């Protein structure tokens, strides 16, 4: 683990510098597939960054690299954890796990759960691991599921049997139940119908604003940018091609994709 002096009052919470990622297909003669390169990002308290761009250009891979699921080919990721700057890229596994448990939340497009464990216990698991009494943890988990409009009849049902939209709400509840200091969200609303998407988007915006939690969210829906008052970072061909507010992107879109994206508002 690499640390520097404590900076608890710093507005900056996460910094990625010179980040690059490629995959090598060892079963295909070592073919190298570049995903992104030379990416710099900074996340401050209370801010929200929306990652957008054409499908398949590495947005999810970037989130997984920031979460230390993927080791970057180059560059470093540093974040503020317990008042200390930690270089997540080369941190020991136990440090990474502690950061994920107490500082960095992640909402994947896919909910991975233990079979036969009901939804409320799935959401309560991080609280139980943190030493919260079982009944208190379950009560908080059920309150979160209620806020996310998951029917009460499903709370004691294993989410492996749920629809995609129901699973996404369980995943979001589980990520938010401990109020992580930073939050990474990979298309958390994509599987929801329009009515539930509006409700969950509103809940997410209120929650992030109330707790001042910085977040990075992958989306193809400009309404997420509006609701979360986010800065947009647009990716294409492995690089950031434009970043700024929605108004700035509207005035001078750097690509046809961005023009279409901001034009949907």
């Amino acid at each position: 683990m690499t640390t520097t002096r404590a900076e608890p009052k710093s507005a900056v919470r996460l910094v990625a510098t010179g980040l690059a990622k490629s995959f090598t297909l060892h079963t295909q003669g070592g073919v190298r597939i570049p995903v992104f390169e030379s990416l710099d990002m900074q996340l401050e308290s209370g801010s929200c960054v929306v990652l957008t761009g054409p499908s398949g250009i590495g947005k999810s891979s970037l989130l997984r690299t920031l979460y230390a699921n993927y080791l970057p080919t180059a560059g470093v990721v540093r974040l503020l954890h317990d008042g200390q700057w930690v270089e997540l890229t080369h941190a020991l596994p136990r440090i990474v796990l502690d950061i994920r448990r107490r500082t960095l939340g992640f909402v994947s497009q896919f909910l991975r759960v233990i079979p036969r464990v009901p939804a409320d216990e799935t959401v309560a698991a991080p609280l139980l691991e943190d030493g919260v009494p079982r009944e208190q943890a379950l009560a908080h988990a059920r309150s979160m599921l209620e806020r996310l409009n998951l029917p009460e009849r499903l709370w004691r049902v294993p989410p492996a049997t749920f629809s995609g939209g129901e699973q996404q709400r369980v995943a979001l509840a589980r990520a938010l139940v401990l109020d992580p200091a930073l939050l990474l969200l990979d298309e958390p609303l994509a599987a929801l119908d329009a009515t539930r998407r509006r409700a969950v988007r509103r809940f997410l915006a209120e929650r992030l604003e109330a707790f001042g939690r910085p977040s990075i969210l992958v989306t193809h829906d400009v309404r997420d940018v509006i609701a979360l008052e986010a800065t947009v970072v647009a990716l294409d061909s492995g690089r950031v091609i434009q970043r700024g507010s929605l108004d700035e992107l509207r005035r001078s879109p750097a690509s046809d994709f961005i023009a279409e994206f901001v034009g949907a508002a």
Side-chain angles (χ1 to χ4, degrees):
M1 178 181 72
T2 303
T3 62
T4 63
R5 65 183 179 83
E7 298 183 64
K9 295 182 180 180
S10 172
V12 179
R13 289 294 179 263
L14 181 147
V15 177
T17 307
L19 212 57
K21 179 62 184 174
S22 62
F23 294 102
T24 301
L25 304 182
H26 297 285
T27 61
Q28 302 296 321
V31 173
R32 178 179 170 273
I33 301 177
V35 182
F36 54 81
E37 59 182 350
S38 303
L39 289 186
D40 297 326
M41 294 188 69
Q42 181 170 294
L43 193 61
E44 299 182 356
S45 296
S47 67
C48 179
V49 171
V50 157
L51 292 178
T52 193
S55 297
I57 51 86
K59 300 183 296 296
S60 296
S61 294
L62 175 55
L63 278 199
R64 293 189 182 108
T65 304
L66 296 175
Y67 193 59
N69 270 357
Y70 291 162
L71 184 67
T73 308
V76 295
V77 177
R78 300 169 63 244
L79 65 98
L80 202 59
H81 174 64
D82 280 348
Q84 296 283 334
W85 280 101
V86 178
E87 189 177 306
L88 186 59
T89 315
H90 299 108
L92 295 172
R94 63 179 176 82
I95 301 298
V96 173
L97 291 175
D98 188 57
I99 288 171
R100 290 175 178 176
R101 185 173 65 86
R102 299 191 295 118
T103 297
L104 185 61
F106 183 79
V107 180
S108 171
Q109 294 182 41
F110 310 103
L111 178 66
R112 294 173 176 84
V113 294
I114 300 174
R116 296 184 296 279
V117 175
D120 57 357
E121 293 186 26
T122 296
V123 174
L127 294 170
L128 296 170
E129 293 170 6
D130 206 41
V132 176
R134 179 177 173 79
E135 289 308 313
Q136 182 180 339
L138 285 172
H140 189 35
R142 290 164 184 164
S143 174
M144 190 71 69
L145 291 171
E146 183 177 19
R147 288 291 310 276
L148 289 166
N149 296 315
L150 190 76
E152 186 174 352
R153 60 183 171 78
L154 297 179
W155 294 356
R156 295 299 298 166
V157 177
T161 65
F162 290 1
S163 70
E166 291 163 346
Q167 288 191 359
Q168 277 199 317
R169 279 176 280 169
V170 172
L172 189 56
R174 181 183 169 96
L176 291 174
V177 75
L178 271 180
D179 294 322
L182 299 97
L183 194 58
L184 308 176
L185 305 107
D186 193 358
E187 299 196 60
L189 311 179
L192 303 179
D193 61 59
T195 299
R196 288 182 174 85
R197 190 180 301 128
R198 283 192 297 270
V200 174
R201 184 187 290 122
R202 184 167 55 249
F203 166 77
L204 183 60
E206 292 171 354
R207 185 115 187 146
L208 293 177
E209 181 180 9
F211 290 92
R213 301 307 193 218
S215 59
I216 301 176
L217 180 141
V218 172
T219 186
H220 293 102
D221 192 335
V222 71
R223 289 169 293 189
D224 296 336
V225 180
I226 297 169
L228 299 172
E229 299 180 358
T231 297
V232 180
V233 174
L235 305 177
D236 202 354
S237 301
R239 293 181 176 272
V240 175
I241 61 169
Q242 194 168 11
R243 69 177 80 206
S245 68
L246 199 56
D247 286 341
E248 289 170 335
L249 268 64
R250 279 199 190 100
R251 285 196 293 270
S252 183
S255 70
D256 291 342
F257 175 89
I258 296 174
E260 184 176 345
F261 177 75
V262 300

